[in-house]
Amino acid sequence: MSTDLDTVDVLVIGCGPAGIVAADRLAGDGTRVLAVDVGRPHTVRVCPVDRMRACHGCRGICNVISGFGGCIHYGDGVKLSRFPSGRRLAERLGPARATRLEHEALGALCDSPLPQFRGARGGRSPFPVKDYPVASLTSTEVIAMVDRMHTRLTGWAALEMRLGTEVLSLAQEDSGGWLARLRDRRHGETTVRAAAVVAAVGRRGRSWWHRQIRDLGLEFTRPAPSVGVRFEAPAPLLAGGSAVHDDFKTTLVKAGVKVKTFCFCTGAGGGRIKFTDYASDGYTLLDGHVIAEPAAEGATANFALLAQLRDGDGQPWDNERIDSELIGPYRRLRTDRPGKPVLQWLPDFRAKRLGCASVEEFIARSGVTPSVRDYQAANLAAILPPQIHTALLESFDELIGFFAGHRDGIDAQVGVIGLELENTWDELIFTSSLETSAAGLYAVGDCGGLAQGIVQAAVGGLAAAEAILGTSATPWTEGLAG
């Protein structure tokens, strides 16, 4: 076991868009940066589920949420959104700074000219729809983006990047610096001393970061988590939503529950579902990716509905209740590999039964081939609280009538897939430069609990880098509430 002590100016934990852009900005200024990620190089992040095979967790390190690029998965389509998507992050930064950093983030991520962003498309909606500019990138454009970012980072003399490297522990020194204990497959365990740390751990590091926040005594507030399912159907059935906005987002209240649409995946070629495996937690959740290339025959599209989890007093569920009342029952739905996603035919989901007992039977009855095949049919509806189940169905019924323009025969063509679980990040208390209550520790991207999205993550990475370099012209109090 190695006991070498490395010293750097900044340790960046996570090589997704937030970490990449932060490391790029810092190293470009000559700051000595060590960037680590537990995942693999971008060119070998192959997901077997994408190839219609089974998810076995990729030896505990899911290629969809780990590795260079993070949520920007090499060779897959992505959706970029601009402010006011991520409104709370923009408010924290302050309007002028948010606008400037967004422009710089897009320049760091995208080649010139920038992709074409567009907001509302002119279609009328009976629902209030959040309007912000969106651009959907093709798989070819994503490959070029990730290759370009990798070339930039590996070109900096001041930057070292270690993939396949896990952060075991993080501690603040009395002097104010930071010690991180690392483990990688080639060097064993090492300890790194850094003057500052940028945590950009993304979804793979969610449980680890949850523990670190408490171990380090960081100030935070509890999130309002949501649970839901994803509906997959022939792409034409969702066309009404995409005619209004490429990322149709609205909020409804049904059965006393707040429900929102999420991750509306209806690109030119529809969308596909992806698995995100949380091996250390023993379950796999869902993601959705847009397909920006022209539609193939029989293309499917999908979107999620998420319902807030609150108790009778209006308080959000805590992690312990989510684990015992949702994750535990979810793991028991599959007999082959507990904790993997399940499929339920919509008529069965309504009735809380399992009449359609296999994926093959679902295809035969619905006439729809799912975008991935690694499901076991199960009674997903049975694990949802009754009020949540009712709210999701009432919301779907109202939305699908608008999306499709009719209701005739739609149920038979829809698969309900779960589980979705969102908004579980603690919401940190920090400055407008995203420095936490521990001096020299910054949290950017998902793990700050402020905003999701590739551009928003990159903006956060730039804000942290500016603060570390001391180049921000914006007073640290700008954008703070109260």
Side-chain angles (χ1 to χ4, degrees):
M1 177 185 297
S2 172
T3 58
D4 295 338
L5 181 64
D6 297 330
T7 300
V8 296
D9 295 322
V10 182
L11 171 66
V12 176
I13 308 174
C15 290
I20 288 171
V21 172
D24 179 46
R25 176 71 178 85
L26 291 163
D29 195 69
T31 303
R32 293 173 302 158
V33 178
L34 173 61
V36 301
D37 193 287
V38 74
R40 302 174 176 88
H42 59 291
T43 55
V44 296
R45 287 177 56 193
V46 177
C47 176
V49 175
D50 291 349
R51 300 185 175 188
M52 293 297 178
R53 298 202 295 267
C55 172
H56 289 283
C58 291
R59 301 192 302 277
I61 302 172
C62 174
N63 280 340
V64 173
I65 54 175
S66 303
F68 185 86
C71 61
I72 310 174
H73 194 264
Y74 195 67
D76 205 353
V78 300
K79 189 180 291 181
L80 305 179
S81 61
R82 303 181 67 166
F83 294 130
S85 178
R87 172 186 55 81
R88 290 193 301 150
L89 174 62
E91 291 174 348
R92 182 59 54 92
L93 296 172
R97 190 177 181 211
T99 299
R100 175 177 61 81
L101 290 177
E102 181 187 69
H103 178 76
E104 294 178 12
L106 286 170
L109 293 171
C110 303
D111 203 357
S112 182
L114 295 181
Q116 181 181 358
F117 285 83
R118 63 183 180 188
R121 301 182 65 178
R124 292 191 174 186
S125 169
F127 311 97
V129 177
K130 295 180 181 178
D131 189 13
Y132 48 84
V134 173
S136 296
L137 305 188
T138 67
S139 58
T140 300
E141 291 170 326
V142 171
I143 288 173
M145 173 191 288
V146 180
D147 282 340
R148 185 170 55 252
M149 292 190 298
H150 187 265
T151 298
R152 281 184 60 84
L153 259 65
T154 54
W156 294 121
L159 186 145
E160 179 187 359
M161 183 166 56
R162 297 182 195 172
L163 301 178
T165 300
E166 181 180 9
V167 179
L168 300 176
S169 63
L170 189 64
Q172 191 170 27
E173 297 185 287
D174 293 338
S175 61
W178 291 88
L179 286 178
R181 190 161 57 94
L182 312 180
R183 179 174 60 202
D184 69 54
R185 291 186 287 269
R186 291 187 302 167
H187 302 100
E189 290 190 14
T190 57
T191 301
V192 172
R193 173 179 284 125
V197 175
V198 177
V201 297
R203 286 173 289 177
R204 172 57 170 78
R206 183 171 60 182
S207 294
W208 178 84
W209 185 238
H210 180 84
R211 294 191 299 272
Q212 291 298 309
I213 287 172
R214 286 149 182 80
D215 291 346
L216 295 170
L218 303 183
E219 296 180 21
F220 69 95
T221 59
R222 285 172 53 191
S226 296
V227 68
V229 296
R230 191 166 289 270
F231 297 90
E232 187 168 48
L237 293 184
L238 303 186
S242 56
V244 174
H245 200 285
D246 288 335
D247 194 20
F248 189 97
K249 279 190 178 179
T250 192
T251 300
L252 305 90
V253 177
K254 299 292 181 182
V257 178
K258 183 178 179 180
V259 179
K260 68 176 183 179
T261 58
F262 181 75
C263 200
F264 196 73
C265 297
T266 59
R272 62 181 172 135
I273 290 175
K274 298 180 73 70
F275 287 10
T276 56
D277 185 67
Y278 298 85
S280 61
D281 297 320
Y283 57 81
T284 301
L285 302 177
L286 299 175
D287 195 9
H289 280 218
V290 68
I291 300 175
E293 292 83 353
E297 185 177 352
T300 60
N302 64 84
F303 73 102
L305 285 178
L306 295 173
Q308 277 196 347
L309 290 166
R310 295 185 179 273
D311 63 22
D313 295 325
Q315 297 302 308
W317 285 23
D318 58 24
N319 280 355
E320 290 72 22
R321 185 172 181 183
I322 291 172
D323 286 344
S324 64
E325 297 187 28
L326 283 175
I327 298 301
Y330 174 55
R331 283 183 47 80
R332 293 189 288 271
L333 285 178
R334 283 187 73 156
T335 56
D336 58 342
R337 281 168 296 135
K340 299 297 181 186
V342 298
L343 169 73
Q344 189 169 18
W345 192 33
L346 180 54
D348 286 349
F349 183 80
R350 288 190 187 279
K352 295 187 179 182
R353 67 183 183 191
L354 191 60
C356 186
S358 69
V359 175
E360 291 71 25
E361 189 175 353
F362 168 79
I363 294 172
R365 290 196 183 195
S366 67
V368 175
T369 299
S371 58
V372 300
R373 294 290 294 274
D374 186 21
Y375 301 119
Q376 191 174 76
N379 192 354
L380 178 62
I383 72 168
L384 298 173
Q387 200 170 6
I388 297 279
H389 177 256
T390 298
L392 292 175
L393 280 175
E394 289 183 1
S395 298
F396 173 81
D397 288 343
E398 192 167 341
L399 287 163
I400 198 65
F402 165 66
F403 292 160
H406 65 91
R407 288 289 288 119
D408 296 338
I410 285 179
D411 276 18
Q413 302 176 72
V414 179
V416 185
I417 303 160
L419 196 64
E420 286 272 0
L421 191 62
E422 290 291 337
N423 302 330
T424 58
W425 293 98
D426 295 317
E427 297 176 4
L428 289 167
I429 307 299
F430 42 29
T431 71
S432 64
S433 291
L434 308 188
E435 186 177 21
T436 70
S437 56
L441 175 61
Y442 299 79
V444 297
D446 285 358
C447 68
L450 269 183
Q452 293 179 312
I454 292 169
V455 176
Q456 291 71 24
V459 166
L462 283 175
E466 279 193 346
I468 292 169
L469 295 172
T471 58
S472 174
T474 305
W476 76 271
T477 52
E478 182 178 330
L480 289 177

